[in-house]
Every structure is written in structure tokens, then in C-alpha cells.
Amino acid sequence: MADRDIEREKLIKDNKLNETLKQEWNKKTKEEKQEFISKFIESMTLLKNKKRRILH
């Protein structure tokens, strides 16, 4: 895990993180992308204020 974190910090420092993430995303199959998005949506928590409006 530490090696992965160090590599990610290097990408951020070199301003290459976005490009790398796009490449990884483009390598995924349609099914892998759908699974990723589904897991992300399931993990979301919406917060509402007293007026029952969703907070940004």
C-alpha cells in the first residue's frame, strides 16, 4: 500500500495523475466500468439540511 501511495504522490507532483487515471479507465471493459460506477453510487451518502435540501 505504501508503494502505491508513493507512486500516486509522484504522479500528483509531476502533474500526470489525471492522464494515468484516464489510461486506466480506458483499459477497463464496459462491465468493469459499470461495476465501478455501481459500487461508487452504493457508497454515496446524501446529506440534507433542516429544510430537507441536499447539501453540496
Side-chain angles (χ1 to χ4, degrees), residues 20-34:
T20 302
L21 292 176
K22 284 182 185 178
Q23 288 174 356
E24 287 179 22
W25 181 256
N26 289 333
K27 289 179 187 176
K28 293 186 179 295
T29 65
K30 180 180 178 180
E31 291 79 17
E32 290 172 321
K33 290 175 183 179
Q34 288 174 335

Side-chain angles (χ1 to χ4, degrees), residues 25-45:
W25 181 256
N26 289 333
K27 289 179 187 176
K28 293 186 179 295
T29 65
K30 180 180 178 180
E31 291 79 17
E32 290 172 321
K33 290 175 183 179
Q34 288 174 335
E35 182 179 348
F36 177 85
I37 292 168
S38 293
K39 286 181 180 181
F40 176 76
I41 291 171
E42 288 174 4
S43 71
M44 291 179 61
T45 303

Side-chain angles (χ1 to χ4, degrees), residues 3-30:
D3 290 339
R4 182 192 70 203
D5 294 342
I6 291 170
E7 184 62 30
R8 178 140 310 189
E9 288 299 319
K10 286 180 185 177
L11 291 171
I12 292 170
K13 183 179 177 184
D14 295 340
N15 206 20
K16 293 182 180 180
L17 181 62
N18 195 30
E19 178 184 330
T20 302
L21 292 176
K22 284 182 185 178
Q23 288 174 356
E24 287 179 22
W25 181 256
N26 289 333
K27 289 179 187 176
K28 293 186 179 295
T29 65
K30 180 180 178 180

